[in-house]
Amino acid sequence: MTGTIGLHHELERELAAFCGTEAALVFSSGYLANLGAVTALCRPGSLVAADTANHASLIDGCRLSGAEVVDVPHHDTAALEKVLAGRRRPRALVVTESVFSVDGDLTDLAEVRSVCRRHGAGLLVDEAHALGVVGGRGEGALGAAGLAGSPDTVATVTLSKALGAQGGAVLGPRRVIEHVINTARGFLFDTGVAPACAGGALAALRVLGREPERAARVRAVAARLHAGLAAAGLPVAPARAGVVSVRAGSARHAVAWRERCREAGVEVGCFRPPSVPDRFSRLRLTARADLTDDQVDGAVTVIADCRPG
């Protein structure tokens, strides 16, 4: 209702231009951006086809929408096609991430969008881990695939990862963003992003625009991390963006591994229940453009040496 100032609009205009969409709307967090997008685009009587590996914020948005939600096996476009072909609901939305937050794997967005178009479904893509990393300029996976700006596609981003600020945004056709403005409770009834955070995100976005090599460096760091960990015999998931994931035997092993790394001077993420099922507990590493090759190699050595026996 109140709190929006010119700086927010300036950020929205530049974010939309950078990502290749008509318009954007800034929320106070990426979590609320996902809730706002899903609940604004779906309602009782709609069908949502959601990837089973989606982030909690997308899952909660699906639950709050009141729509019929069908979980689609991870990256299974044949299953997605079957769900959409057999639906009884007139409106359908496919909800997925471009870069998944746990393993860092990428969705084949061109294939998913083709399935959506064959069956008249909209597409919502969470680009939280793609902005600033994927694409020649870091514009995200939709832009890299030539799908940004499509009339049937909406994206969400967070401002707290590659841009190092706080907040989130929904991006898409102007008419869709106008609809989100007037229907998303997470926008209407929440406090606006603090001007300092909006200004920080805008400044970072401009740096990214001037220095696109930063996105390429993130991918190179991730590839080096992956190669080093794989060479050390660790169960590491393929690195396609900036996230590198290493499986641990259990939640207990994951926590102990993280603590040993921390004591050795390397900070790593730890995914365990309730974030993931126990058998899928892991360390999650985030590549950064400012890491040197020596730092990456040193981190690999520490992570390999600290693995629980």
Side-chain angles (χ1 to χ4, degrees):
M1 297 291 187
T2 59
T4 298
I5 62 175
L7 182 62
H8 295 104
H9 294 310
E10 189 175 2
L11 172 58
E12 289 164 350
R13 286 192 299 271
E14 294 198 24
L15 193 59
F18 185 80
C19 295
T21 64
E22 286 185 347
L25 180 66
V26 171
F27 285 69
S28 63
S29 73
Y31 194 102
L32 281 176
N34 275 341
L35 256 63
V38 176
T39 55
L41 295 174
C42 298
R43 61 191 181 201
S46 302
L47 172 76
V48 179
D51 192 289
T52 53
N54 279 344
H55 188 265
S57 56
L58 293 172
I59 294 171
D60 288 351
C62 291
R63 291 170 176 169
L64 288 171
S65 71
E68 177 189 355
V69 180
V70 177
D71 291 328
V72 179
H74 189 43
H75 288 325
D76 191 338
T77 50
L80 175 62
E81 181 114 37
K82 185 175 181 180
V83 168
L84 294 179
R87 79 178 195 265
R88 298 184 302 276
R89 309 288 186 179
R91 292 164 51 90
L93 179 71
V94 173
V95 178
T96 189
E97 300 178 41
S98 56
V99 178
F100 279 85
S101 59
V102 175
D103 277 337
D105 49 322
L106 271 68
T107 296
D108 186 339
L109 291 176
E111 184 176 2
V112 170
R113 208 277 295 268
S114 294
V115 174
C116 290
R117 290 223 161 154
R118 281 198 293 274
H119 299 284
L123 175 61
L124 173 62
V125 181
D126 182 346
E127 292 257 67
H129 289 276
L131 178 64
V133 179
V134 179
R137 299 177 298 111
E139 69 273 20
L142 282 168
L147 303 179
S150 299
D152 52 2
T153 302
V154 174
T156 59
V157 298
T158 179
L159 309 179
S160 61
K161 293 186 175 13
L163 300 184
Q166 188 173 2
V170 180
L171 303 97
R174 193 171 305 281
R175 61 185 177 82
V176 174
I177 299 304
E178 289 293 331
H179 173 70
V180 175
I181 289 172
N182 288 288
T183 57
R185 293 165 66 88
F187 173 77
L188 283 167
F189 300 106
D190 188 32
T191 303
V193 175
C197 293
L202 182 58
L205 184 65
R206 289 171 176 171
V207 170
L208 184 60
R210 293 193 304 269
E211 303 174 17
E213 65 274 10
R214 289 174 178 264
R217 177 58 186 168
V218 171
R219 298 194 300 271
V221 168
R224 191 178 186 95
L225 273 171
H226 177 271
L229 294 168
L234 297 177
V236 58
R240 298 287 183 263
V243 174
V244 180
S245 180
V246 189
R247 287 279 181 96
S250 66
R252 181 173 58 84
H253 281 163
V255 172
W257 200 350
R258 177 189 61 184
E259 291 306 312
R260 291 180 184 181
C261 289
R262 179 178 291 165
E263 290 169 2
V266 174
E267 186 70 34
V268 298
C270 176
F271 273 29
R272 64 189 194 283
S275 298
V276 294
D278 183 51
R279 67 186 184 280
F280 296 125
S281 294
R282 70 201 67 211
L283 301 185
R284 193 188 72 170
L285 317 177
T286 303
R288 295 200 331 241
D290 61 346
L291 293 175
T292 67
D293 288 351
D294 286 346
Q295 288 173 322
V296 173
D297 294 344
V300 167
T301 298
V302 168
I303 293 166
D305 290 347
C306 291
R307 182 182 187 184

